[in-house]
Amino acid sequence: MALTTDSKIIGSHVWFFRQGDEYTKIPTNGVCSRTEKPPATDTGWINLGIIEDADISCEETETEIYAPVPGHIVLYDVKKTKAKITIKFTTSEISPFAIEMLLKTANLSLSSTQFNPLEGNVEKKGWLKLQSYDQTDTAVMVLDVFVSLKVTGAMKIAGGELAKLECEALVLHSPLNTGTL
């Protein structure tokens, strides 16, 4: 990809595959985990709907090393000791999976009609697929990362506004994390 000053990313799409869910793989099936990524064509990927906002950031922790030169102490080096990638997005489609995350229910599907709040897995870990496109519908970036996914804000359920859900995905280390430009 050539260096450009154009703002290329117009929109993004996000899918999630739950840790522990089974997927179809040739020659044998598998179970989604940090070390087993479902194929992109598997039907278990959950479309997280219309993504209104999406941000990605990387935070680093630095340790400063000081040394005497000769009679006073000066900054000698900086070592980066920690890194954290965070993906934040807002979806305006309230799917069964959105309700599952918000109200901590057991796994829900598109055919679910009943749920029990606080009866599900509190942690949502799995694979997140983020695809970002430019104005000509060309993929600019595709990111497949193992994450811890959570809801970070309240969902408005009255007041004349559309329901929206703010989410945050913390990228966890996996040897299978990958991205393409």
Side-chain angles (χ1 to χ4, degrees):
M1 184 160 130
L3 179 63
T4 180
T5 57
D6 293 343
S7 178
K8 301 241 344 154
I9 296 177
I10 298 296
S12 295
H13 301 271
V14 181
W15 292 266
F16 185 74
F17 205 107
R18 292 183 201 92
Q19 176 176 263
D21 282 2
E22 293 184 8
Y23 62 88
T24 304
K25 182 179 178 182
I26 298 173
T28 61
N29 292 342
V31 176
C32 178
S33 70
R34 184 186 303 253
T35 56
E36 288 204 37
K37 180 171 38 172
T41 56
D42 194 275
T43 59
W45 285 96
I46 301 166
N47 185 342
L48 299 186
I50 297 171
I51 305 301
E52 290 190 2
D53 291 321
D55 299 310
I56 187 168
S57 63
C58 183
E59 298 174 36
E60 295 178 320
T61 301
E62 297 177 340
T63 300
E64 296 178 345
I65 300 169
Y66 290 85
V69 183
H72 59 283
I73 296 176
V74 298
L75 183 62
Y76 180 78
D77 201 356
V78 177
K79 300 287 184 185
K80 295 181 185 334
T81 56
K82 294 180 183 177
K84 176 173 81 170
I85 297 173
T86 305
I87 301 167
K88 295 181 180 182
F89 60 91
T90 302
T91 180
S92 61
E93 281 189 51
I94 307 306
S95 66
F97 183 70
I99 298 299
E100 176 185 324
M101 285 196 315
L102 179 67
L103 299 178
K104 309 301 182 209
T105 73
N107 291 358
L108 299 176
S109 70
L110 292 176
S111 62
S112 295
T113 59
Q114 189 274 331
F115 62 87
N116 299 95
L118 301 176
E119 291 298 321
N121 186 356
V122 176
E123 289 188 337
K124 289 291 180 213
K125 291 183 182 172
W127 285 94
L128 185 100
K129 181 180 292 295
L130 171 73
Q131 295 179 346
S132 299
Y133 295 87
D134 69 8
Q135 68 276 8
T136 65
D137 296 336
T138 302
V140 175
M141 179 180 69
V142 176
L143 191 61
D144 283 356
V145 285
F146 190 75
V147 301
S148 175
L149 182 64
K150 66 180 179 180
V151 172
T152 57
M155 183 175 73
K156 188 177 238 9
I157 56 175
E161 294 181 27
L162 294 176
K164 297 178 184 180
L165 201 60
E166 295 175 1
C167 301
E168 178 180 277
L170 297 176
V171 177
L172 305 175
H173 178 267
S174 169
L176 303 177
N177 286 346
T178 186
T180 57
L181 296 173

